Structure formats: structure tokens, C-alpha cells
Amino acid sequence: MKPHAHPWRRAATGAVLAALLVGMAPAAGHAKSAPSKAESIAVQARAAYDAAQFERSLDLYLAAYRADSKQVAWLYAAARAAHLANKLDRAEELYLQALRDPGLATDLAEKAREHLQSIATRRAELRAEEAEALQKSGLYQEAAEVWRSAAALQPGRAIYLCRAARAAKLARQRDQAIRDYQTCRDRAPVGSTDRAEAERALAELERERPKDSAPAAERPAKPKSETADPPDPGQAAKPLDTPGLAAPATPTAPEAPAAEASTGHWAVLGGGAALVLAGLGTLAWAWGDEQDLNGTLAQRTDGRILGISYSEAQRQQASINLRYGVGWTAAGLGGVALGLGTWLALQGPTGRVTLVPTGPASVGVALRF
């Protein structure tokens, strides 16, 4: 009987194993469903990314990551899609979330940090564009504040602080302009155009310091009229009261035009020389800035200009052209004044030139032919 029992037992065992495999089949199929679903969503996300449908790619990559959170690369891909869709805040949030995950690959972590830096750069550029618009509208104080916020977003761009200083100067905030220029100079690398611009501006502000006290410097002109004119009526009144002293008053009358003539040609010569020097200085300033701008524009990588935006280059070129015009005009007027002063000096004290007060701190030259 035992030889016949062995085939029966083998058949029963086979039936049991078959039943177990049939029972386990749904469980195995369920175990494979979650990863395959996440992968299929990721494939759709990649297709949308390749088609430049970045917002759709963002949503699909996030859905795939939710289905399988172990795939940190999908989270990075979602951040990249948000970045290309110009959703800077969302992209920054996802990049940081991916960086906090220890499972993110090293190369993707490095790229995430680079993209975070580019987001900060783009935000700074947007603030710079806003500052330029405010400055063009004459809102100099507001423009200076926006320039400083751009510098805070991108500390490496010291030029933003120089722009803030220029706006503060236009807003007549001289002390603030000096502080901004000093910070720009300290942040800029030695030998850079930004540092050179800050140093030139600071030197210019130092030269302009005496101009703040110009009214006090011009006050000696007022005592001159006060000391020369008041005694004349007093001295003239006494001879009228004393007939014997009236004669000496006549020789003093011709002396006044001679003094006026001498003072006149020296004043014209001095003014002409000052204009020529100011014009030449402005031309030299414009030429120096033009050389710096040309040097910046020459720094290219793969045909692209580095270190300056197109709008900034246009603004600097317009400023340079304006200074060229002012410099040539001042130098020309100074040359004319020098010629006139020389002619007046050659005429001698003939009494044909008279200085005529035209305001509290200015005079005019009257010629009689």
C-alpha cells in the first residue's frame, strides 16, 4: 500500500502550492503598483519638461515625489521646473527642501546651490531695474533705498552701492552718499572699475565741500562795497559843509573808473581760466569713464558681456556723452573769456569798463565804446 500512497501525497502537495501562489498573486501585484505609478507620472513630467511646459512639469514631478518620496531627484526636478517657470519663491523653497534631504545626490546638491545663487541674482536685477525707473522719474531718495536692497540681495555687486550713492547725492543727502561710496569702495576688488568709480566720486565730494560754504567765501565782496561806498557820501558831505575842502573831491572822480577797469579785466581773465580748467577736468573725467566702460564691455564669455547689464551700459554712455558736451562748452566759453580779458588788459585804464552789480554775489561787465 505504501508505494501507491507516494504519488497521492505529491499531487496533494502540488495542489496546496498552487493555491498559495494564486492567493499571493494579488498581493504581489499590489506591491508593484505604487512604484510603477510614480514612475509613469515621472515619465509624463519629463515629457512636459522637454516640451517647455514647466508649470505642468512642476505639478507632475511633485505628484511623483509624493507617490515615492525616496526619489529626491524628482523633488529637485520640480524645483528646476518652477525656476524655469519664473516662480522664484516656489523654486527657492523646493531647492532648499531638496538640499535638506540626505538622499540628494552630490552633483544635484551642487546644482541646487548654484540655482539658489542665480535666483538671488535675478531678484537683485529686478530691484535694480526698479531703482533705475525711480531715478528716471526723479524719485532719487526712493531709488537709493531700492539700490541698497539690491546690494543686500547680491553683496558681490558693489556697483549697486555706487548707484545708491549717486541717487543719494542727487537727493542732496551728501553724508549718506559718502557712506554708500565708502561701502562700495570697501567691497569692490582692488583695481576694479567699481572701486575706481567710488574713489573718484569720494574725491569729487571732498572737492565740493568748500562749495557748501561758498556764500561765506563771497562775503568779502559785500564788505568791499560797504567800506568803499559808505565813506564816500560821508566824505562828500563834509566838503559840502566846508567850502574850502570842496576842491579835492574833483580829482578823485576819475580814479574810480580806472580801478573798475583794472578789476574788470582781472575778473574776466580769472573767470575764463576757471571755466577752461573746469571744462578740461570734465573732459578728462568723461574720457576716464569711457575707458572704464569700454574695458567692462570688452570682458566677454561665449560672446556675452559680463559684469554690466545692457540698460546700465546705456545709462553710463549717456552720462559720458553729457559730460563731454558740458566739458567742451565750458572750455569754449572759458577760451572766449580769456580772449576778452586779454583785450581788456591791453586797453588799459581808459574808463571804458565798469563792473555793474547784478545780484548779491555776482557782477556784470559794462563796456563803453
Side-chain angles (χ1 to χ4, degrees):
M1 295 300 289
K2 289 182 181 180
H4 297 286
H6 183 66
W8 178 85
R9 288 177 65 186
R10 287 199 314 179
T13 302
V16 171
L17 289 175
L20 289 174
L21 290 174
V22 171
M24 293 174 64
H30 180 71
K32 293 181 180 179
S33 62
S36 64
K37 179 181 178 182
E39 290 174 357
S40 64
I41 296 175
V43 169
Q44 297 177 40
R46 180 66 192 185
Y49 184 96
D50 293 338
Q53 299 175 357
F54 299 119
E55 293 189 7
R56 174 173 168 76
S57 178
L58 165 63
D59 295 336
L60 289 171
Y61 269 126
L62 286 178
Y65 176 71
R66 294 190 193 99
D68 187 359
S69 60
K70 295 181 180 180
Q71 301 295 332
V72 191
W74 292 344
L75 181 60
Y76 167 84
R80 186 63 183 146
H83 192 173
L84 294 175
N86 205 30
K87 294 185 174 183
L88 302 183
D89 293 339
R90 184 58 169 155
E92 182 180 43
E93 176 187 351
L94 294 175
Y95 281 135
L96 292 174
Q97 182 179 350
L99 285 171
R100 286 193 294 268
D101 195 313
L104 184 65
T106 303
D107 58 334
L108 294 182
E110 293 178 356
K111 290 181 179 179
R113 295 187 186 95
E114 293 175 359
H115 294 320
L116 284 171
Q117 181 59 39
S118 69
I119 288 175
T121 300
R122 181 54 185 158
R123 283 176 174 159
E125 290 174 350
L126 292 173
R127 298 295 283 169
E129 293 173 3
E130 180 185 353
E132 287 180 355
L134 289 170
Q135 193 159 329
K136 289 179 180 178
S137 301
L139 301 174
Y140 302 122
Q141 184 175 352
E142 293 81 354
E145 294 174 357
V146 178
W147 279 122
R148 291 187 202 103
S149 67
L153 289 171
Q154 199 172 9
R157 291 295 303 277
I159 191 63
Y160 288 155
L161 286 169
C162 283
R163 299 294 170 266
R166 181 175 298 178
K169 181 181 177 182
L170 292 172
R172 301 183 182 278
Q173 296 177 333
R174 186 176 180 280
D175 293 339
Q176 182 62 56
I178 291 176
R179 287 193 293 270
D180 289 335
Y181 273 128
Q182 288 173 341
T183 308
C184 176
R185 179 195 59 193
D186 296 340
R187 289 189 183 180
V190 176
S192 64
T193 56
D194 297 343
R195 191 182 187 96
E197 178 179 343
E199 290 174 348
R200 276 198 308 271
L202 285 170
E204 181 183 349
L205 285 170
E206 287 300 321
R207 288 194 302 269
E208 290 178 354
R209 185 181 296 274
K211 293 183 179 180
D212 297 339
S213 58
E218 294 172 358
R219 287 174 190 169
K222 184 176 181 181
K224 180 181 177 180
S225 61
E226 291 175 351
T227 55
D229 295 338
D232 289 340
Q235 292 173 1
K238 290 179 181 179
L240 288 176
D241 296 335
T242 309
L245 299 177
T250 54
T252 58
E255 294 177 2
E260 290 173 354
S262 177
T263 305
H265 82 264
W266 282 116
V268 174
L269 285 172
L275 280 173
V276 170
L277 291 176
L280 293 177
T282 304
L283 289 173
W285 179 23
W287 182 84
D289 281 1
E290 186 177 30
Q291 298 306 308
D292 291 342
L293 178 59
N294 291 336
T296 302
L297 295 177
Q299 299 175 5
R300 298 170 179 260
T301 299
D302 298 332
R304 298 181 62 187
I305 298 174
L306 300 176
I308 192 171
S309 63
Y310 177 74
S311 59
E312 176 61 17
Q314 280 190 321
R315 191 199 62 73
Q316 290 192 24
Q317 188 61 56
S319 176
I320 290 169
N321 292 338
L322 175 61
R323 277 177 274 159
Y324 269 129
V326 172
W328 283 116
T329 301
L333 291 175
V336 172
L338 285 175
L340 177 59
T342 303
W343 178 80
L344 292 174
L346 294 175
Q347 292 298 307
T350 59
R352 295 180 179 179
V353 181
T354 305
L355 292 180
V356 180
T358 59
S362 60
V363 295
V365 179
L367 302 178
R368 294 192 296 276
F369 298 94

